[in-house]
Amino acid sequence: MTPDNIRTKRLPLGINLGIAAAGLLIAAAVVYGFGIGNYVLVVVLGVVFYLIGLQVVAGRIEGPRTARDRMWKTLIYAACVLAILPLASVVWTLVSKGVERLDGNFFGTSMNNIGARDPEGGAYHAIIGTLEQVGIATLIAVPLGVLGAIYLVEYGRGRFANTVRFFVDVMTGIPSIVAGLFILSFWVLIVSPWFNNGTPRFSGFAASLALTVLMLPTIVRSTEEMLRLVPGPLREGAYALGVPQWKTILKVVLPTALPGIVTGVMLAVARAAGETAPVLLVAGGAASINFNPFEGGQQSLALFVYQQAGDASRYAPARAWTAALTLVAIVLILTIAAKLLARRNSLSK
């Protein structure tokens, strides 16, 4: 390599910013001059013009190879910003509109006996329902999902394991309304009359069963992938020391894969907490407080948001936004707590 091929110059920050400003000015002149769009199109065209100008100017100063590297780096940053913008917009909208009803009345009362002209009323009954339904579903789905994944990774061989894996993949994309209809036809219409003098009964537990059906495939697939990422030498080292397979799984494999398993579980919990159709079909969506998930109708935050968003009352939208913010906050708190617990366990071992 000759000294002529070695480039030591770098594009100054001022020239970089000047190219960006020039790109935006040209885009604004084109868009507003021809009347073909608004500021969104100005930003999009400005990025295109900026990339073109950056390639030309950087190619003359830094060389073609460094210019291409700079352009692709800029594209990666731009893609990251584009991915973050919708999320930031959702969070900002949720917080700005949800703070209106962040008061004691919202968290301490239900919608029982609340009319269309009543500005009061809260989501206490929906919060109780969400915590109970998702909690019961998690207690059922997590052991079944983790054990199923352990079977597929550690023991499953042959046609039966492939069949189980296939049906898990199919269930991953099952619509939530199908899970609700399944529990409605099986549990509510067939099983629950045995415990209610022959009369079908809606309940929060039925909603938990429907949410379990939705959570299981996510937990199985995520746990299976995490278990497959555990290095083989860890298992082989335990076997060489005479440790039984079940104990190797319990003491070596699961602790190693625990952070990833927790992530998959929380994804399933977040999906279950946001489902509306199963709760509407099998829990009824009562407006009063019901602490018993095995008897009577029960509400959830997702269903509460759906009902309030379609209500004709002018006070309903504020309740819907605050309930949505509360639901996101609950999932966020549970996720952080689970992550901290998994991290503490992995560090202690």
Side-chain angles (χ1 to χ4, degrees):
M1 180 175 291
T2 62
D4 294 335
N5 295 328
I6 301 176
R7 299 280 183 166
T8 58
K9 293 184 179 180
R10 292 296 178 187
L11 187 68
L13 179 60
I15 296 179
N16 201 339
L17 295 177
I19 296 172
L24 287 175
L25 290 176
I26 296 173
V30 171
V31 171
Y32 293 118
F34 291 95
I36 58 176
N38 54 14
Y39 69 94
V40 177
L41 186 57
V42 171
V43 174
V44 174
L45 287 180
V47 172
V48 174
F49 292 147
Y50 166 71
L51 291 175
I52 295 174
L54 181 66
Q55 177 68 19
V56 173
V57 177
R60 292 185 173 275
I61 296 177
E62 299 177 327
R65 178 179 296 179
T66 306
R68 285 194 299 268
D69 178 74
R70 181 181 291 275
M71 185 188 69
W72 283 107
K73 186 185 297 183
T74 304
L75 283 173
I76 292 172
Y77 289 155
C80 179
V81 172
L82 288 176
I84 292 176
L85 281 178
L87 177 62
S89 177
V90 169
V91 173
W92 171 254
T93 304
L94 192 63
V95 173
S96 61
K97 293 181 178 293
V99 296
E100 183 177 348
R101 283 300 312 276
L102 282 179
D103 50 44
N105 180 267
F106 182 83
F107 294 102
T109 60
S110 67
M111 291 298 297
N112 198 24
N113 298 325
I114 299 296
R117 297 184 179 182
D118 194 341
E120 303 296 327
Y124 179 70
H125 61 304
I127 296 173
I128 295 299
T130 295
L131 294 177
E132 290 184 352
Q133 293 164 21
V134 176
I136 295 174
T138 303
L139 291 177
I140 299 174
V142 171
L144 293 178
V146 173
L147 291 176
I150 291 175
Y151 165 76
L152 292 176
V153 175
E154 304 292 340
Y155 299 98
R157 300 293 185 272
R159 183 174 299 177
F160 179 73
N162 293 332
T163 303
V164 173
R165 192 174 291 109
F166 171 76
F167 279 106
V168 168
D169 292 337
V170 172
M171 287 182 62
T172 303
I174 188 174
S176 59
I177 190 70
V178 175
L181 288 173
F182 169 71
I183 298 301
L184 176 66
S185 61
F186 170 69
W187 181 266
V188 176
L189 299 181
I190 296 178
V191 178
S192 67
W194 296 354
F195 308 98
N196 194 33
N197 298 324
T199 303
R201 172 184 293 173
F202 291 129
S203 64
F205 181 72
S208 299
L209 294 179
L211 297 180
T212 300
V213 174
L214 297 174
M215 293 174 64
L216 265 176
T218 303
I219 295 175
V220 172
R221 289 299 294 157
S222 60
T223 304
E224 181 184 1
E225 295 302 324
M226 291 302 104
L227 294 178
R228 292 187 185 279
L229 291 177
V230 176
L234 291 179
R235 297 180 176 89
E236 296 169 0
Y239 297 153
L241 295 175
V243 180
Q245 185 176 9
W246 69 269
K247 202 166 188 178
T248 300
I249 296 171
L250 185 63
K251 297 294 186 179
V252 177
V253 177
L254 286 179
T256 305
L258 184 61
I261 295 175
V262 169
T263 300
V265 169
M266 295 315 302
L267 288 175
V269 169
R271 182 190 178 186
E275 291 294 344
T276 302
V279 181
L280 180 61
L281 282 174
V282 300
S288 58
I289 300 172
N290 181 15
F291 287 96
N292 187 0
F294 300 98
E295 182 178 357
Q298 203 173 46
Q299 184 70 275
S300 71
L301 279 172
L303 183 56
F304 181 82
V305 172
Y306 169 76
Q307 292 176 343
Q308 292 299 311
D311 200 312
S313 173
R314 66 188 183 96
Y315 303 107
R319 301 191 195 106
W321 281 110
T322 305
L325 179 60
T326 304
L327 180 60
V328 173
I330 290 175
V331 174
L332 178 62
I333 292 172
L334 292 176
T335 302
I336 294 175
K339 286 286 188 180
L340 292 177
L341 181 62
R343 182 182 179 185
R344 179 180 178 183
N345 288 340
S346 61
L347 289 177
S348 62
K349 297 184 178 188

